[in-house]
C-alpha cells in the first residue's frame, strides 16, 4: 500500500511531489531544505538550515510511522564544501548511532538562499 505524507509546504502541490512516500516497509523522504514551514522563512546559516531539515524529516517520518533509527540511506547536498565541517557534528547528533550509508555532494540548489538539502530512505525495523 502506498501512502503520501505532506509537510504542508506549498511547494509540494506546485511541484507535484510528497514530503515522503511510504511503500510497504519503506519510507522515501524527498529532498528537504531548511525552510521553517510554520513561518515560510529560511535561516541565513547552514547550521540552522540543517537543523530545520532534520526537524522536517523527523516530523514526516513520525507521521509515516517511522523513526530516525529506521534510516538506511542519506544524501546530503551542500552548496559549499566548507559546510561539511559545520554540518557533520549536527548530522552526527541525529545519525551517529544509526550510521546509515551516506553521500555528501557539493552542488547548486534551486534558490540561492538554500545552503543544504537532505534526502533519506528508511526501512522499517522488524
Amino acid at each position: 500500500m502506498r501512502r503520501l505524507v505532506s509537510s504542508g509546504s506549498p511547494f509540494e502541490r506546485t511541484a507535484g511531489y510528497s514530503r515522503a512516500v511510504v511503500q510497504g516497509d519503506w519510507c522515501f523522504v524527498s529532498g528537504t531544505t531548511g525552510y521553517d514551514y510554520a513561518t515560510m522563512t529560511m535561516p541565513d546559516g547552514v547550521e540552522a538550515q540543517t537543523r530545520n531539515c532534520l526537524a522536517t524529516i523527523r516530523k514526516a517520518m513520525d507521521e509515516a510511522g517511522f523513526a530516525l533509527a529506521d534510516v538506511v540511506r542519506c544524501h546530503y547536498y551542500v552548496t559549499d564544501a566548507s559546510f561539511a565541517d559545520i554540518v557533520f557534528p549536527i548530522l552526527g547528533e541525529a545519525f551517529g548511532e544509526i550510521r546509515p550509508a551516506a553521500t555528501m555532494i557539493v552542488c547548486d540548489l534551486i534558490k540561492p538562499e538554500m545552503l543544504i538539502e537532505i534526502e533519506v530512505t528508511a526501512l522499517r525495523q522488524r
Side-chain angles (χ1 to χ4, degrees):
M1 182 169 74
R2 181 177 179 179
R3 187 162 60 102
L4 307 179
V5 176
S6 174
S7 65
S9 164
F11 305 125
E12 292 171 22
R13 182 159 302 281
T14 301
Y17 73 96
S18 295
R19 174 62 48 214
V21 175
V22 177
Q23 183 75 43
D25 288 334
W26 291 92
C27 182
F28 303 90
V29 181
S30 293
T32 302
T33 61
Y35 278 105
D36 176 339
Y37 291 108
T39 62
M40 284 309 296
T41 59
M42 177 73 80
D44 291 330
V46 71
E47 181 176 348
Q49 287 189 27
T50 302
R51 292 189 189 285
N52 280 1
C53 292
L54 293 170
T56 301
I57 289 167
R58 275 190 192 101
K59 185 174 184 249
M61 291 185 68
D62 285 346
E63 185 176 331
F66 288 77
L68 281 187
D70 296 321
V71 173
V72 295
R73 183 77 169 125
C74 299
H75 290 123
Y76 307 114
Y77 305 92
V78 295
T79 58
D80 190 305
S82 69
F83 293 159
D85 289 336
I86 298 168
V87 302
F88 281 165
I90 300 166
L91 299 172
E93 290 171 14
F95 298 113
E97 296 301 315
I98 302 163
R99 308 274 304 269
T103 302
M104 183 172 280
I105 299 166
V106 178
C107 62
D108 289 331
L109 295 174
I110 62 171
K111 296 198 181 240
E113 66 269 20
M114 296 174 176
L115 304 177
I116 186 167
E117 186 166 343
I118 301 173
E119 170 187 1
V120 304
T121 302
L123 176 61
R124 190 180 322 276
Q125 303 297 309
R126 296 196 178 249

